[in-house]
Amino acid sequence: MKIFILMNYNYWYALSINMNKERPTKSELLARRAVFNDTHLEEVEYLERKEIVIEKSGKRKVKSRLLMSGYILVKVRPQEVEDEAGNKSKIFPPDTFDLILGTPGIKFFVNCEKEKPIAFRPKEIKKLFDMCDDAHLEVKQNMMSDFYEGDILEVVDGPFKGYDC
């Protein structure tokens, strides 16, 4: 039985970081979130794409490759503020902004206007996460074969059944 978890693709932001420092930067940011008890920073991710590599010996290996080297993604829940007229609006939390940019290794928000980061559109971030999904591996494995150019194969089904090609 498979359980499908619906992911919320709203409020994801990209951060430019030092190259090849995705894991330590993620760990440092999560540690700072815990120290400062930040409730708005919900998730921190770096995107890895799994690929099947076939060695010369025919052995298959699954390797992970970074999809966006030098970047991590953060999901930040907006803060609701109310003005004098009673109108409510959502803003990027200033404390979370300072927490994120104060983390060693993080350079800046991608797509940011005067301390107001602009989130990815949900369909854009969904496409990025779908590229890292493991479901495509099964299809690639089934498409791979142990046959080489020049091998003679026997057709076992269809209109050309019994022929060799």
Side-chain angles (χ1 to χ4, degrees), residues 20-133:
N20 299 320
K21 298 291 183 190
E22 290 80 7
R23 288 174 187 87
T25 304
K26 176 182 177 178
S27 299
E28 181 70 25
L29 185 54
L30 291 174
R32 286 175 55 89
R33 176 183 72 174
V35 167
F36 291 104
N37 295 323
D38 188 273
T39 58
H40 293 281
L41 180 60
E42 293 181 352
E43 294 183 53
V44 180
E45 294 293 333
Y46 54 89
L47 300 177
E48 286 185 314
R49 183 179 197 152
K50 293 185 172 46
E51 296 177 354
I52 295 177
V53 178
I54 300 177
E55 297 177 346
K56 290 183 180 180
S57 63
K59 188 175 180 181
R60 295 177 183 176
K61 284 187 175 181
V62 177
K63 285 192 170 186
S64 295
R65 298 211 172 144
L66 288 174
L67 187 63
M68 298 176 4
S69 185
Y71 296 93
I72 60 173
L73 300 173
V74 294
K75 182 177 182 181
V76 178
R77 187 172 36 83
Q79 180 179 355
E80 281 194 15
V81 292
E82 191 172 330
D83 62 7
E84 297 84 27
N87 298 324
K88 291 183 178 180
S89 62
K90 294 181 179 183
I91 63 165
F92 195 94
D95 293 339
T96 305
F97 184 83
D98 295 337
L99 170 86
I100 291 171
L101 289 184
T103 304
I106 295 180
K107 296 177 184 175
F108 54 86
F109 276 90
V110 176
N111 205 9
C112 185
E113 294 178 7
K114 295 184 183 178
E115 298 186 6
K116 294 180 184 178
I118 300 170
F120 276 99
R121 290 186 193 108
K123 69 178 184 178
E124 293 172 335
I125 202 72
K126 182 182 181 322
K127 187 175 181 178
L128 287 173
F129 278 108
D130 286 348
M131 290 171 72
C132 298
D133 189 13

Side-chain angles (χ1 to χ4, degrees), residues 110-157:
V110 176
N111 205 9
C112 185
E113 294 178 7
K114 295 184 183 178
E115 298 186 6
K116 294 180 184 178
I118 300 170
F120 276 99
R121 290 186 193 108
K123 69 178 184 178
E124 293 172 335
I125 202 72
K126 182 182 181 322
K127 187 175 181 178
L128 287 173
F129 278 108
D130 286 348
M131 290 171 72
C132 298
D133 189 13
D134 291 346
H136 74 282
L137 287 178
E138 187 176 325
V139 174
K140 283 187 177 180
Q141 280 181 329
N142 291 339
M143 289 175 52
M144 299 288 182
S145 66
D146 295 326
F147 306 112
Y148 299 99
E149 188 175 329
D151 288 353
I152 297 175
L153 305 174
E154 179 184 351
V155 179
V156 294
D157 195 18

